[in-house]
């Protein structure tokens, strides 16, 4: 039978392990360009994905030979440069399984950056990952230092004022709560009255949550919205009962609930919501500057990967098969301006 001291040590160990996938991302800093050499395929026309994922994926190698007809659609300056600079909002702490710093403590890995590498290979470009905070990722696109973001960016009508999109995955959000809480979100924001919910700044989910906050205020009800610098801080607040829930991307929350199961920090999903609101399925999209001419070749490359089956393998590697889309679309309908 375990002694009180051994039980205490085991509880502390489990609590620490619950944060390992996130803590592993904390050593990265800055926004310097990072070559994708550490995750490149072993042969021409191949891309290794899911590597260095610390157990978040099942590493595999996918085929992504250059498609000349799609490469011909690229803007001349991109073809001449020979590189695709891919922005990921991975700092300060990342968000497994989407984008995070790998087990080597330096290489960006995740479903989003891996798709960026696959698209780049299909277009005959060298992928260069540029890591930054979420806000600086968009500033990078605006300034031209970043060609495109593959970073769980939701297609919204507001963002279309500045950016163009090529969709590649369904966008679903989720509320994550402590395992002990029993309330459920079924789409009616009124259930959030009296609650405190954390959300990441500058995100689509923040806009949705702040809209609900305004609606509740009109009804004389209160919804407190909290912001924390990173996910570690958010989850510490959740386990410390300082917040009732965290609203974030469904893939990241599904991953986190799996990794905390059976630990003192166990959490649960309290319900999901489309990233485009109640009337439209939200979509995640490759994001580039409006008028850049990149959305068309991106959509073509993604559809090529769909047709040859590599897209499905990419999703399966990261346990995201339930968020597949049938086709990549250029600038599909997104979150309406009225909900932004």
């Amino acid at each position: 039978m375990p002694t009180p001291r051994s039980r205490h040590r085991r509880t502390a160990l489990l609590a620490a392990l619950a944060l390992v996938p996130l803590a592993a991302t904390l050593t990265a800093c800055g926004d310097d360009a990072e070559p994708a050499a550490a995750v490149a395929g072993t042969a021409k026309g191949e891309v290794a994905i899911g590597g260095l994922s610390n157990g978040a994926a099942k590493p595999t190698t996918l085929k992504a030979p250059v498609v000349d007809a799609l490469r011909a659609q690229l803007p001349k300056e991109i073809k001449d440069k020979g590189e695709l600079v891919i922005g990921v909002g991975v700092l300060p702490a990342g968000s497994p399984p989407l984008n995070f710093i790998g087990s080597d403590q330096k290489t960006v890995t995740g479903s989003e950056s891996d798709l960026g590498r696959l698209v780049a290979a299909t277009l005959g470009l060298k992928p260069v990952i540029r890591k930054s905070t979420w806000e600086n990722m968009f500033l990078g696109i605006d300034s031209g230092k970043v060609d495109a973001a593959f970073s769980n960016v939701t297609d919204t009508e507001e963002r279309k004022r500045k950016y163009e999109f090529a969709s590649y995955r369904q966008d679903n959000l989720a509320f994550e709560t402590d395992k002990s809480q029993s309330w459920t979100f079924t789409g009616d924001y009124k259930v959030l009255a009296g609650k405190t919910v954390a959300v990441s700044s500058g995100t689509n989910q923040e806009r949705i949550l702040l809209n609900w906050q305004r609606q509740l205020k009109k009804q004389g009800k209160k919804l407190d919205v909290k912001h924390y610098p990173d996910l570690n801080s958010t989850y510490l607040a959740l386990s410390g009962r300082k917040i009732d829930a965290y609203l974030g991307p469904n893939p990241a929350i599904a991953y986190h609930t799996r990794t905390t199961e059976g630990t003192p920090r166990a959490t649960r999903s309290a319900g999901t919501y489309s990233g485009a609101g109640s009337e439209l399925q939200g979509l995640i999209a490759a994001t580039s500057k409006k008028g850049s001419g990149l959305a068309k070749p991106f959509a073509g490359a993604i559809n090529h990967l769909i047709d040859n089956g590599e897209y499905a393998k990419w999703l399966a590697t990261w346990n995201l098969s339930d968020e597949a889309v049938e086709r990549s679309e250029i600038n599909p309908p997104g979150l309406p301006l009225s909900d932004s």
Side-chain angles (χ1 to χ4, degrees):
M1 179 180 293
T3 65
R5 176 174 293 183
S6 67
R7 283 196 299 269
H8 174 75
R9 287 176 177 171
R10 181 176 181 273
T11 299
L13 176 61
L14 287 171
L17 287 174
L19 291 176
V20 164
L22 296 173
T25 69
L26 293 175
T27 58
C29 59
D31 61 352
D32 295 332
E34 174 196 282
V39 289
T42 57
K44 187 175 181 180
E46 293 184 345
V47 176
I49 70 168
L52 308 173
S53 68
N54 203 26
K58 299 175 182 177
T60 189
T61 298
L62 301 183
K63 295 179 180 179
V66 180
V67 179
D68 291 332
L70 295 174
R71 179 177 170 78
Q73 297 175 5
L74 288 168
K76 183 177 184 302
E77 59 270 23
I78 298 291
K79 281 192 289 187
D80 290 347
K81 183 173 63 172
E83 293 181 343
L84 182 67
V85 181
I86 299 168
V88 292
V90 71
L91 300 178
S95 181
L98 300 171
N99 275 316
F100 58 106
I101 305 301
S103 55
D104 66 350
Q105 307 300 304
K106 62 181 180 180
T107 302
V108 175
T109 187
S111 61
E112 310 300 273
S113 50
D114 274 353
L115 181 63
R117 293 174 175 116
L118 285 165
V119 168
T122 302
L123 296 174
L125 299 171
K126 175 186 177 182
V128 177
I129 306 298
R130 189 175 295 276
K131 53 186 181 288
S132 69
T133 63
W134 177 262
E135 295 85 355
N136 284 338
M137 177 182 70
F138 289 98
L139 293 177
I141 298 175
D142 297 343
S143 68
K145 293 181 179 179
V146 169
D147 297 316
F150 284 78
S151 194
N152 201 57
V153 179
T154 302
D155 166 30
T156 75
E157 295 306 309
E158 180 182 6
R159 286 175 177 159
K160 285 196 182 104
R161 292 169 170 172
K162 295 179 66 176
Y163 308 105
E164 59 187 39
F165 298 100
S167 59
Y168 60 81
R169 188 166 53 76
Q170 289 185 22
D171 174 34
N172 294 309
L173 307 174
F175 285 92
E176 186 174 9
T177 69
D178 186 89
K179 186 79 170 180
S180 63
Q181 295 202 32
S182 60
W183 68 274
T184 300
F185 181 85
T186 58
D188 185 356
Y189 67 88
K190 294 177 184 177
V191 74
L192 301 175
K195 290 184 168 50
T196 300
V197 181
V199 70
S200 296
S201 297
T203 60
N204 181 53
Q205 54 264 30
E206 181 193 39
R207 285 195 287 273
I208 291 173
L209 192 63
L210 291 178
N211 182 51
W212 287 337
Q213 184 186 52
R214 289 190 292 270
Q215 296 303 315
L216 287 170
K217 186 176 181 180
K218 292 177 183 178
Q219 301 167 26
K221 300 174 183 178
K222 187 176 181 181
L223 165 61
D224 281 333
V225 177
K226 297 290 185 182
H227 300 88
Y228 294 93
D230 53 51
L231 274 177
N232 281 335
S233 301
T234 300
Y235 285 132
L236 285 173
L238 187 62
S239 64
R241 308 297 177 86
K242 294 181 180 179
I243 58 175
D244 296 299
Y246 161 59
L247 176 61
N250 182 58
I253 286 175
Y255 168 79
H256 189 250
T257 57
R258 288 196 305 271
T259 61
T260 60
E261 189 173 358
T263 76
R265 296 179 183 271
T267 60
R268 57 180 281 271
S269 173
T272 60
Y273 190 74
S274 167
S278 59
E279 303 299 323
L280 185 67
Q281 173 59 57
L283 294 171
I284 299 298
T287 305
S288 51
K289 197 171 185 177
K290 189 173 182 177
S292 67
L294 287 172
K296 183 178 179 180
F298 283 171
I302 293 165
N303 284 328
H304 175 76
L305 292 166
I306 290 173
D307 291 340
N308 66 16
E310 301 303 275
Y311 169 84
K313 295 175 185 177
W314 161 70
L315 286 174
T317 294
W318 288 101
N319 300 306
L320 296 175
S321 297
D322 59 349
E323 297 203 340
V325 295
E326 292 185 5
R327 305 298 293 170
S328 174
E329 301 176 78
I330 299 172
N331 295 324
L335 179 74
L337 287 171
S338 59
D339 291 333
S340 297

